[in-house]
Amino acid sequence: MELLDKLNWRYAAKAMNGETVPEDKIERILEAARLAPTSSGLQPFEIIVIKNKEIKEKIKPVAWNQSVITDCSHLLVFVAWDTYTEDRINYMFDLTNDIRGFKNEGWENYRQMLLSSYPQKPAEENFNHAAKQAYIAFSQAIIAAAFEGVDATPLEGFDPAVIDEILGLKEKGLRSAVMLPLGYRKEENDWLVNLVKVRKPMKDLVTLID
Ligand SMILES: Cc1cc2nc3c(=O)[nH]c(=O)nc-3n(C[C@H](O)[C@H](O)[C@H](O)COP(=O)(O)O)c2cc1C
């Protein structure tokens, strides 16, 4: 119940007050994103945390001039791999072996299966798959922010090509997927804060097959 209360409290803040979110809260929100499940456990994305005022100012005009970009405390940018490469796949499989301290034939066969499929696919298809995984972490960050009493604005309204340029993502084989400004709501400037949350009824969402 407590979780649902927090999810009802949260909303996509349209105005923030510029107050700083304590680093321990930010760390727990990022940890929730890190713990997100991903397809084959590949975690094909990174998170860029922007506190820098000048960079936020640069981003704002290519993000529909949304005030939360500059009035947030920390701007998270979820960036996904531009494609799956052998190195990237091997990195996660090797990391798993290192952390668990053993090699397993079934796991190694699974590695080979991924190596013989993903890298051969078109980069755009791979990026779209990687971006979907980034959204899972994004969603966990949204929930964690609500849990911490931190406001967040899920934000897709930006020009990804320009953001990629500002953040120098291309050279790193990354592309921006979605953003999450974190901060505190500024109620007096926010038209959404007192409006009732609208969601379709459960019957239009869920089909039970008994
Ligand atoms: C992927 C995604 C992208 C969104 N992009 C924006 C955005 O660019 N600007 C904005 O003000 N709200 C954005 N929203 C917020 C949605 O409009 C909002 O979550 C939805 O209307 C439900 O309202 P609530 O989050 O306040 O409950 C986005 C939400 C999601 C999940």
Side-chain angles (χ1 to χ4, degrees):
M1 217 27 214
E2 203 193 342
L3 176 63
L4 292 183
D5 287 343
K6 306 229 185 220
L7 293 182
N8 271 304
W9 170 83
R10 72 141 297 279
Y11 76 116
K14 303 297 176 204
M16 291 188 182
N17 64 12
E19 239 180 82
T20 303
V21 177
E23 289 301 329
D24 62 319
K25 285 183 181 280
I26 298 292
E27 276 167 27
R28 287 192 293 271
I29 292 166
L30 291 172
E31 178 65 355
R34 192 177 76 100
L35 288 172
T38 54
S39 178
S40 301
L42 290 176
Q43 291 182 273
F45 54 84
E46 297 180 19
I47 304 167
I48 301 188
V49 182
I50 303 171
K51 292 164 76 176
N52 182 283
K53 195 169 175 291
E54 287 74 41
I55 300 291
K56 287 179 186 170
E57 297 280 0
K58 267 193 187 171
I59 289 176
K60 189 178 170 186
V62 287
W64 302 356
N65 273 317
Q66 299 186 70
S67 65
V68 287
I69 298 284
T70 43
D71 295 339
C72 71
S73 166
H74 294 65
L75 175 62
L76 309 191
V77 186
F78 291 77
V79 302
W81 292 353
D82 60 356
T83 190
Y84 288 100
T85 64
E86 289 196 1
D87 281 352
R88 283 169 157 171
I89 293 168
N90 280 326
Y91 165 78
M92 280 311 291
F93 276 79
D94 291 344
L95 183 66
T96 303
N97 290 346
D98 280 355
I99 289 177
R100 293 197 173 142
F102 64 88
K103 267 192 169 187
N104 168 284
E105 197 189 328
W107 187 237
E108 290 306 317
N109 289 341
Y110 190 58
R111 179 204 301 251
Q112 292 311 321
M113 196 187 85
L114 294 192
L115 287 173
S116 65
S117 61
Y118 278 134
Q120 287 74 33
K121 290 186 184 179
E124 193 65 22
E125 185 180 329
N126 280 339
F127 166 71
N128 286 330
H129 185 265
K132 280 189 200 169
Q133 315 312 310
Y135 273 78
I136 302 170
F138 164 74
S139 183
Q140 292 209 172
I142 293 170
I143 297 165
F147 192 79
E148 296 288 339
V150 171
D151 283 296
T153 316
L155 199 145
E156 251 178 356
F158 61 88
D159 183 337
V162 184
I163 299 298
D164 293 358
E165 218 172 283
I166 293 171
L167 299 177
L169 297 180
K170 199 174 178 187
E171 305 84 81
K172 297 178 184 156
L174 298 166
R175 291 171 61 181
S176 53
V178 67
M179 291 189 197
L180 191 66
L182 297 172
Y184 294 106
R185 61 187 71 177
K186 189 175 186 185
E187 302 204 359
E188 61 274 29
N189 287 13
D190 196 331
W191 57 267
L192 185 58
V193 67
N194 290 318
L195 296 185
V196 172
K197 194 177 278 300
V198 178
R199 293 293 189 271
K200 61 184 181 182
M202 207 55 104
K203 69 174 175 50
D204 295 340
L205 179 73
V206 177
T207 301
L208 174 67
I209 302 178
D210 207 353

